[in-house]
Each structure stands twice: as structure tokens, then as C-alpha cells.
Amino acid sequence: MDRLDNTVRPYAWGSTTAIPHLLGVEPTGEPQAEMWMGAHPGAPSRTARGTLADVIAAAPERELGAEAVAKFGPRLPFLLKLLAAGAPLSLQVHPDLEQARQGYADEEQRGIPVDAPHRNYKDANHKPELICALTEFDGLCGFREPVHAADLLAGLGVDSLKPYVDLLHAHPEDAALREVLTAILTADREEMAHTVAEAAAACDRLGGDYAPYAGIAHHYPGDPGVIAAMLLNHVRLQPGEALYLGAGIPHAYLDGLGVEIMANSDNVLRCGLTPKHVDVPELLRIVRFEASDPGVLRPEASPDGEEVYDTPIDEFRLSRYVLPAGGAAHDLTRSTPQILLCTAGSVRAGEHELTSGQSVFVPAGEKAEVSGTGTLFRATVIA
């Protein structure tokens, strides 16, 4: 079992206080957006044996187990994070596995450098993800029913939004959503900036259901993504609740601290709320134009105290243990690799004492007994 030393990424949208508070350290005044736990080549966790990427590469079957290697290859198929949003992240979608493979092969064939700012596919993998709230957590997830989106836009009283309102009342609904998003993203930038400014002022004035969009507009004045965001469901997670984001589902995180787990990929198609490249044709190919409930997940408890967040993919499995004072020890030994993350209290994992924000990597088959008082998240795979 290896104690992990993890990198904190200073993305501009990050909170300046949430991760330092969890870790029990003084804020630096700079944004601290994500703490990465895993073997992603961009920032692999460090161990006493070297980086976790190097440890796994040296002996994949020993570290990951034969079943996981057979199913996912000689790499850790997930990345675990602490994510702290102090401002909205970009409005985005992720491709499914076949779309990612096709897109990556196409861009490779066209000779687009992997680090080019207009490159969409950094790898050939999909990027399903799960966010579990540690604090109250605001996000956008999936399309509203078109008539509800129409009512929200109409309530702003902005004349230039009336064509979108009319389109949202058209049928079939998937075509209505596609037409409106396409119109928003391809509109004249100067005209759209004026529309966004009017809409933002109305959101400020009206408050209530409009308040999240006023906040988004404050961070991204004039961005078409402000209007696109109003097509999506707003959801506020309470601590312990989660969202699963599958392929093609438009989403954005707005504010809060959570534990995030995802398949090991960097493939993102952006819709707005970003200065980065927006490839509208490719985005429209990937987005699933269907209204959906955000589907807030609550963990399912098992008799041994494990609370599992059920998802339809195998690259990751996230669960947590809320360990009471004086409770019995739990044997977490598995034939698959694990990362254990303490988010509250003090938990003993093998020979390691973990406090809030500390984590360990447990190789496949390694004895993993945990005890103490606190909250422990467990990330592994289904092999």
C-alpha cells in the first residue's frame, strides 16, 4: 500500500479556499481547482517507489491484477480528483468510446498535433465521470424539457430571444433542441453579446430560478454559453449526493467541492463559457439532443457499511465508508487496484494514518484493512 503525494492543479476557475480547508493548510491566495490521484501522465501521483505511472508500468499485473489488465490494458483506467469550483467550468460534452476512437484516428491522420489548441481528441478513450458532493454543489446537467426552457427564456422579456422560444415549441423535441443550440452557437458574436447582456441584467433583476445564470454571466459576460446554459437542468447537490455524466450529456459544474472520478481521458467538446476552441460541427455530432432528468444519485448501502454509487460503466466504481467512533475494522481487500481517500476525520489504512485529503494506492490483492472515525472514499474498477 503506497501513500500518495498528489498534484493540485491551479486552473483559473478553482476555489482559493476549498481544497486548502479540506487539507488543513493555509490558502495561498491562488486558485486550487483539482487535486489528482492516479496515474494520468499529466500529473501522476508520487509514491516512495516513484510516480504511480512508473510503478504500474514496471509491473502491471502485480499492481493492477490480471483481470483488470486483461479488460483495460496495462494502465489504471480511472482518475480520482478533489474538484473545487469557485467559478463555472466550461459547458461541455464527452464522446462515447466509438466516437473517441474515430475522432482520434481522424485527427491523427490529418496530422493535428495533440497539443494543438483546436484539437478535440487527445486520446482514443471515452470520459464518463461521476461527481459526488462534499459541500453543497451547483451544476448543470442534461437538457430541460424544451417547453420549460422556452418558458425560462420567455420570462426574461428579451426580444432577441423570441425566435429561440418559438423554436423550442416546435416538434420533434430533439430537432427543436438541436436547432436552438446551433442557432445560439452560430449567431453573430456582436449581436449575441448584446443579447447576453440584456439576459444577464434580467436574470439579476428576477433572481430565483434565474440566479444561477446571473452568476454565470458575471463570470462570462457576452458568452453565448450563458444562453445555452439556460437550456439545461440546474441541480444543487447536497453532501453525499452525486451526478453521473455519460457520453453526449451537456453539463457544467458551477460551484462547490466534490470528489470526482472519471475514465482516464482528456476528450472534451466545449459548448461555451470558455475562451478555448469550440468546434460547433463536431459538438453537434456528439451531443445527445434529448430532454432528461439530472438523475441525482444517492449511495446504496450494503450490510458491511459500504455505500456504492451505482454507474453503468466498468472503468471506475466509487463508494464511501462513514466510519463511526468505536466501529469495527473493515477488510477492503480486492483483486483490483484501489485508491482510498479520506475526506473527514482520521482513518487508518494498513500502516498509514490518513487525515482529510490524504490518500493511498492499494495494489490488486493487497491486504487492505481500514478503521478509525471519519469518511473514506474508495475508488476501484469492475473487472
Side-chain angles (χ1 to χ4, degrees), residues 307-361:
E307 299 177 341
V308 181
Y309 294 91
D310 188 37
T311 60
I313 52 97
D314 295 342
E315 281 90 342
F316 60 75
R317 176 184 183 274
L318 186 71
S319 62
R320 69 173 184 175
Y321 288 83
V322 180
L323 305 173
H330 295 267
D331 185 357
L332 273 55
T333 307
R334 282 180 67 98
S335 62
T336 52
Q338 304 180 75
I339 291 178
L340 306 179
L341 166 68
C342 177
T343 59
S346 178
V347 177
R348 187 164 188 83
E351 71 275 23
H352 300 285
E353 197 73 34
L354 304 180
T355 56
S356 185
Q358 296 181 334
S359 56
V360 293
F361 172 73

Side-chain angles (χ1 to χ4, degrees), residues 8-357:
V8 175
R9 310 304 295 260
Y11 305 135
W13 49 260
S15 166
T16 59
T17 58
I19 288 178
H21 178 74
L22 184 78
L23 298 176
V25 299
E26 284 297 314
T28 64
E30 299 297 316
Q32 298 191 31
E34 297 180 348
M35 187 175 81
W36 288 19
M37 291 156 279
H40 189 288
S45 299
R46 298 168 293 277
T47 79
R49 297 188 285 157
T51 71
L52 189 55
D54 289 341
V55 167
I56 291 170
E61 288 206 0
R62 185 183 67 200
E63 303 297 331
L64 305 176
E67 294 173 339
V69 171
K71 190 166 186 176
F72 305 111
R75 61 186 182 86
L76 189 67
F78 66 82
L79 176 64
L80 184 67
K81 300 178 180 180
L82 284 173
L83 183 147
L89 282 67
S90 61
L91 191 61
Q92 59 188 257
V93 296
H94 306 301
D96 64 27
L97 189 55
E98 185 57 32
Q99 290 165 338
R101 288 170 175 167
Q102 291 175 356
Y104 180 77
D106 175 63
E107 291 185 327
E108 285 289 282
Q109 186 177 24
R110 288 191 284 143
I112 302 174
V114 172
D115 59 354
H118 63 289
R119 174 110 184 199
N120 294 314
Y121 297 95
K122 312 294 188 185
D123 52 71
N125 199 18
H126 62 165
K127 193 174 181 279
E129 58 191 41
L130 177 80
I131 184 78
C132 177
L134 294 178
T135 65
E136 204 169 68
F137 194 98
D138 276 19
L140 305 173
C141 178
F143 286 110
R144 297 174 183 269
E145 292 290 341
V147 293
H148 296 158
D151 290 344
L152 195 70
L153 291 177
L156 293 172
V158 175
D159 287 345
S160 53
L161 291 175
K162 287 179 180 177
Y164 303 147
V165 173
D166 292 341
L167 282 172
L168 287 166
H169 284 294
H171 293 283
E173 291 184 348
D174 59 342
L177 289 168
R178 177 183 289 275
E179 282 197 52
V180 172
L181 184 62
T182 303
I184 291 168
L185 297 181
T186 57
D188 178 85
R189 295 291 295 200
E190 189 173 331
E191 291 178 8
M192 178 53 73
H194 181 71
T195 296
V196 171
E198 282 193 76
C203 287
D204 267 329
R205 184 178 69 254
L206 294 167
D209 290 343
Y210 293 96
Y213 308 100
I216 293 170
H218 171 75
H219 289 285
Y220 297 99
D223 193 304
V226 174
I227 307 302
M230 299 184 75
L231 304 178
L232 306 187
N233 297 296
H234 173 249
V235 60
R236 176 165 292 167
L237 300 177
Q238 298 304 311
E241 295 180 335
L243 284 176
Y244 171 73
L245 292 314
I249 303 298
H251 62 277
Y253 302 146
L254 304 181
D255 183 71
L257 175 67
V259 173
E260 185 182 39
I261 190 167
M262 62 183 61
N264 226 339
S265 172
D266 292 320
N267 289 327
V268 175
L269 280 300
R270 294 176 177 86
C271 314
L273 310 183
T274 178
K276 295 182 179 179
H277 177 61
V278 176
D279 185 335
V280 175
E282 186 64 10
L283 171 72
L284 296 175
R285 191 177 77 86
I286 298 302
V287 171
R288 290 170 54 186
F289 288 98
E290 56 187 45
S292 61
D293 185 274
V296 174
L297 292 177
R298 295 170 182 85
E300 299 177 10
S302 61
D304 68 350
E306 185 180 28
E307 299 177 341
V308 181
Y309 294 91
D310 188 37
T311 60
I313 52 97
D314 295 342
E315 281 90 342
F316 60 75
R317 176 184 183 274
L318 186 71
S319 62
R320 69 173 184 175
Y321 288 83
V322 180
L323 305 173
H330 295 267
D331 185 357
L332 273 55
T333 307
R334 282 180 67 98
S335 62
T336 52
Q338 304 180 75
I339 291 178
L340 306 179
L341 166 68
C342 177
T343 59
S346 178
V347 177
R348 187 164 188 83
E351 71 275 23
H352 300 285
E353 197 73 34
L354 304 180
T355 56
S356 185

